[in-house]
Amino acid sequence: MFTTRPTLQGTFGMVSSTHWLASQSAMAVLEDGGNAYDAAVAGAFVLHVVEPHLNGPAGEVPILLAPAGGEVRVLCGQGVAPAGATIEHYRGLGLDLVPGTGPLAAAVPGAFDAWMLLLRDHGTKSLADVLKYAIGYAEDGHACVENVGATVETVRELFETEWTTSADVYLPDGKSPRPGELFRNPALAATWQRLLAEVAGAGDREAQIEAAREVWRSGFIAEALVRQAGRPTMDTSGERHTGTLTAADLASWSASYEAPATYDWNGWTLCKAGPWSQGPVLLQQLALLPPELPAYGSADYVHLLIEGCKLAMADREAWYGDADAVPLDDLLSAEYNAARRRLIDGKASHELRPGSPGGRAPRLCEHARVVAPAEPGFDPMGAGEPTVARLTADGGTRGDTCHLDVVDRWGNMIAATPSGGWLQSNPVVPELGFPLGTRLQMTWLEAGLPNSLAPGRRPRTTLTPSIALRDGVPVLAFGTPGGDQQDQWQLHFFLAVATRAKARGGLDLQGAIDAPNWHNDSFPGSFYPRGMRPGSVTVESRMDEAVVEELRRRGHDVTVGDAWSEGRLCAVARDPEAGILSAAANPRGMQGYAVGR
C-alpha cells in the first residue's frame, strides 16, 4: 500500500509528535540516556515554544503512561474551575455561555504541574536537562511554521487595540512571525531561566522539581497569573471582564493520577481518560460495533462508524462530566450497546439520541435541546479545535492542539495531548511570555448537568490520548489534535491498524494514518459558541466518489474537503516479542514527524 512515509522501525527509541522540533528534542533526551518520560517532558516544553497557537504552559494536558512492567495510569493535567467560577457569577454578568476567550474562561492551569509530576515520579533527568531545549528555542529563536503567523494575523486588530501585551510578543515592529525568519520569545525564556535559578539550591533532582511546582503555585509565576486574571480583558462576549482565578485556587490544586477507563475488543484493551474527558466516546464506539464489520472503507463501513459516533456523542452530552456517578459501566455494557446498536439502520440520523443506561433518564442542556445551529459561516473543517487555528465568523478564535507519543528501549510508553493556553486565548502575561487558557468554555451555565460549571470541578475536555494493550501488554500509543474530532479520527486509525494488513512484519501505523479520513458534527460542539450540524459528514476528497454518493443517498449531508484535511494522528508501537519499536506521524499540515532508531 502506498504511504506518504515509511512506518519507522528500530530498537532504541521512537518519538512521534505534531512538530519536528519537539520530536527531535525528545529524541535527543533518549540519546542522552533519558527514558520516555524525560523525553516527553522535554518535547512538551518545546511544543509550548514552537506551537504557541496550539498550546502553552498554562493550558492543560491529559497523559496516559504505561511504565515497563507496570499498569497503565492516567495523569490528569486538567485544572478545575476556580472557587469564584459559579453559574450565578456568570449569569449575573448577562452571559448564557462561558466566553470563548478571556480570563472568565480560564480554569486553574494544569499542564505545568502535570509535566513536573511526571518528571518527578517517572523521569531520571534534572529539570534543567529537560528545559534546556525549550529555553534555547525561545531565547535564540526558531523558524516558525506558517500557521503561527497566520493565526496572529487573524487576531491582529485585537492584539493592537486590546491585547497589547500579546502584540509585544507576536507583532514586534508590527510584523507577525514569518516562515524562514527566526522568531524569539525572550520573556518565556527568562521565565524558565528564573525558575531554574530559584530552585537550584533546593537540593537533589526531586527536591528541585518540587520547588518548581511551588514556584508555579505560589511564587512569581502564580503572582503574575493572578494579576493577569484580574485585568479587565475583551472577550468573545464583546465586553471586558475580569476572571475568577485567585492565589488560593493556584495554591490548592495539583495534578493527580487515576486509573484509566478501559474496554476490551477482539483481544485489544483500549485505555482512555475517564468521563471528565471525552475519552470513553472511543470505548463506546467500539462497544457499538457488531461482531462482523463491513468491508474496510466501504459505504456500509463509513455509515456504521458515523452513526455509532452520533450515539456515543449524544451520550457524551447527556452523561459525561466531572460529576459523581457517571454511569460508565452501564454505558459500556453489552446489554446497553446491543439495544443502542439496533437504532442504527440504513439511513443517516439527524437527531441527538442519548440513551438511558441502567434505566436512568437522560438530560440534555437547554442549548442542545433547542438544537443549537452552527455559527454563521460555520466551517466544518474547523469545528472545535480545528486542524488549523482560525478566526470564526462571530469574532471568536479557536486554537488547535498538539500530541506527543514516546516509547523507549526499556518498554516505557506515553501518550499525551497538550492543549490550551493558546496565543489567541488570552493576552500574554507580560512577566511570563505566555497566556492563560480557556477550557471553562466547555462547561454549561445550567445547573444539574454532569458538565455544569462548578467550583472545583474539571471542565469536560476534548483532549483524549490513547494507549492500547494486546493480550494485556501495552503495544500502541496514539492520539491527535482536533477537538470533537479526536475520538472519531482515533477510532478510524485504530480500526485500520487492528483489522488491516501489517507492514514489514509490524503494525501498519503510517498506512492507517494516511488513509482517507472523515468526521461528523451532529452534536453540540465543545467550543464557544457550541454549534452543531445535524446529519453532517466532512470527508477528504480522496474518499471513493461512489462511497460519497452512497452516503448522500442515505441522507448524510456530505461536505467534501481537501485531500489531506482530516486528522493529525501520531503513533508509536512496541512488539514485545520481536523487540521492535515503530512510529509514524501525520503528513497533513506538513509539520508532524516521527523519529527514532
Side-chain angles (χ1 to χ4, degrees):
M1 172 182 175
F2 169 79
T3 59
T4 58
R5 310 166 183 178
T7 294
L8 305 185
Q9 292 186 321
T11 57
F12 180 82
M14 291 283 163
V15 182
S16 180
S17 88
T18 47
H19 196 289
W20 62 85
L21 291 180
S23 295
Q24 191 54 53
S25 297
M27 191 68 202
V29 174
L30 294 181
E31 297 283 4
D32 194 40
N35 65 19
Y37 308 115
D38 298 311
V41 176
F45 278 87
V46 170
L47 286 173
H48 297 158
V49 180
V50 300
E51 295 190 324
H53 58 313
L54 311 181
N55 79 138
E60 46 276 324
V61 59
I63 301 169
L64 267 66
L65 58 150
E71 295 184 352
V72 177
R73 300 290 289 170
V74 176
L75 176 50
C76 175
Q78 174 58 66
V80 299
T86 64
I87 291 173
E88 293 74 20
H89 176 66
Y90 287 68
R91 290 288 190 179
L93 295 172
L95 300 171
D96 57 6
L97 290 173
V98 177
T101 60
L104 275 178
V108 177
F112 179 88
D113 196 62
W115 292 119
M116 291 300 99
L117 202 60
L118 179 70
L119 184 65
R120 185 197 72 182
D121 295 345
H122 298 278
T124 63
K125 293 291 187 179
S126 70
L127 183 58
D129 284 338
V130 297
L131 281 181
K132 65 184 180 183
Y133 306 93
I135 291 172
Y137 287 124
E139 186 171 36
D140 301 326
H142 68 283
C144 279
V145 296
E146 183 177 356
N147 284 332
V148 175
T151 301
V152 173
E153 285 299 319
T154 66
V155 287
R156 171 184 283 275
E157 182 178 355
L158 179 67
F159 279 14
E160 291 177 336
T161 60
E162 295 282 347
W163 297 8
T164 55
T165 58
S166 297
D168 292 341
V169 175
Y170 291 104
L171 289 169
D173 301 321
K175 297 180 180 178
S176 59
R178 298 179 182 180
E181 297 179 0
L182 288 179
F183 174 76
R184 298 174 175 86
N185 188 341
L188 178 58
T191 295
W192 300 144
Q193 289 165 334
R194 179 178 173 183
L195 175 70
L196 291 175
E198 290 197 8
V199 306
D204 62 10
R205 187 189 79 92
E206 291 187 13
Q208 289 186 13
I209 295 169
E210 277 300 294
R213 297 178 72 201
E214 286 305 309
V215 171
W216 180 274
R217 286 198 290 245
S218 59
F220 79 94
I221 294 177
E223 293 168 358
L225 292 173
V226 171
R227 279 195 298 272
Q228 184 63 45
R231 294 183 176 116
T233 301
M234 179 65 70
D235 60 36
T236 53
S237 72
E239 303 290 337
R240 296 180 185 89
H241 292 114
T242 57
T244 61
L245 185 69
T246 67
D249 294 318
L250 281 163
S252 62
W253 185 86
S254 65
S256 58
Y257 295 99
E258 58 188 55
T262 64
Y263 185 76
D264 295 331
W265 183 83
N266 287 7
W268 295 83
T269 300
L270 272 290
C271 301
K272 303 289 286 186
W276 55 268
S277 77
Q278 73 170 354
V281 162
L282 178 58
L283 309 184
Q284 283 197 252
Q285 290 177 94
L286 286 171
L288 283 162
L289 293 176
E292 296 293 329
L293 293 178
Y296 178 86
S298 66
D300 286 341
Y301 179 87
V302 177
H303 174 79
L304 174 69
L305 298 193
I306 292 169
E307 294 305 300
C309 175
K310 292 175 185 177
L311 294 175
M313 285 296 197
D315 279 345
R316 184 192 75 166
E317 290 309 308
W319 300 109
Y320 289 22
D322 192 23
D324 294 335
V326 174
L328 192 57
D329 288 344
D330 288 325
L331 288 168
L332 294 174
S333 69
E335 179 183 14
Y336 177 76
N337 284 284
R340 295 284 277 165
R341 194 179 302 122
R342 289 193 289 270
L343 296 176
I344 301 174
D345 56 23
K347 295 294 184 181
S349 170
H350 289 233
E351 299 177 64
L352 193 64
R353 299 182 290 178
S356 301
R360 302 168 183 85
R363 179 185 166 192
L364 294 171
C365 68
E366 182 66 31
H367 195 77
R369 291 197 297 273
V370 298
V371 191
E375 71 264 26
F378 181 86
D379 174 8
M381 304 305 296
E385 290 166 317
T387 51
V388 176
R390 67 185 178 89
L391 183 70
T392 63
D394 58 20
T397 58
R398 294 196 178 90
D400 201 346
T401 298
C402 307
H403 189 79
L404 175 69
D405 300 310
V406 188
V407 60
D408 64 27
R409 62 190 184 275
W410 300 287
N412 300 302
M413 187 176 287
I414 183 171
T417 310
S419 187
W422 314 301
L423 66 86
Q424 65 276 24
S425 63
N426 258 299
V428 165
V429 184
E431 305 95 323
L432 302 178
F434 59 83
L436 286 163
T438 54
R439 195 59 57 170
L440 290 187
Q441 67 180 287
M442 297 187 165
T443 61
W444 296 113
L445 297 181
E446 182 179 340
L449 300 166
N451 193 34
S452 298
L453 178 66
R457 181 184 282 185
R458 292 170 289 190
R460 189 195 68 214
T461 180
T462 53
L463 308 175
T464 172
S466 302
I467 284 181
L469 288 65
R470 186 68 173 166
D471 299 321
V473 179
V475 297
L476 178 64
F478 60 100
T480 179
D484 295 316
Q485 287 88 265
Q486 288 184 31
D487 280 316
Q488 302 185 55
W489 293 335
Q490 288 185 67
L491 174 73
H492 310 159
F493 164 81
F494 172 72
L495 290 177
V497 168
T499 62
R500 298 173 74 193
K502 295 184 177 181
R504 291 189 296 173
L507 299 175
D508 185 14
L509 303 183
Q510 194 64 52
I513 288 173
D514 288 354
N517 218 322
W518 67 91
H519 81 272
N520 83 90
D521 300 299
S522 297
F523 46 84
S526 294
F527 290 82
Y528 181 91
R530 315 301 295 269
M532 62 187 289
R533 296 177 65 232
S536 70
V537 180
T538 303
V539 305
E540 290 181 326
S541 61
R542 294 182 297 126
M543 182 175 281
D544 188 310
E545 290 184 8
V547 172
V548 172
E549 287 308 308
E550 176 60 18
L551 292 175
R552 286 176 171 152
R553 190 190 69 79
R554 297 185 186 196
H556 296 280
D557 180 10
V558 181
T559 298
V560 178
D562 293 339
W564 295 91
S565 53
E566 289 285 313
R568 283 180 58 197
L569 281 138
C570 300
V572 300
R574 171 177 175 261
D575 184 336
E577 294 183 2
I580 294 176
L581 311 177
S582 56
N586 171 57
R588 300 163 179 89
M590 296 188 293
Q591 65 188 69
Y593 269 87
V595 296
R597 67 173 178 88

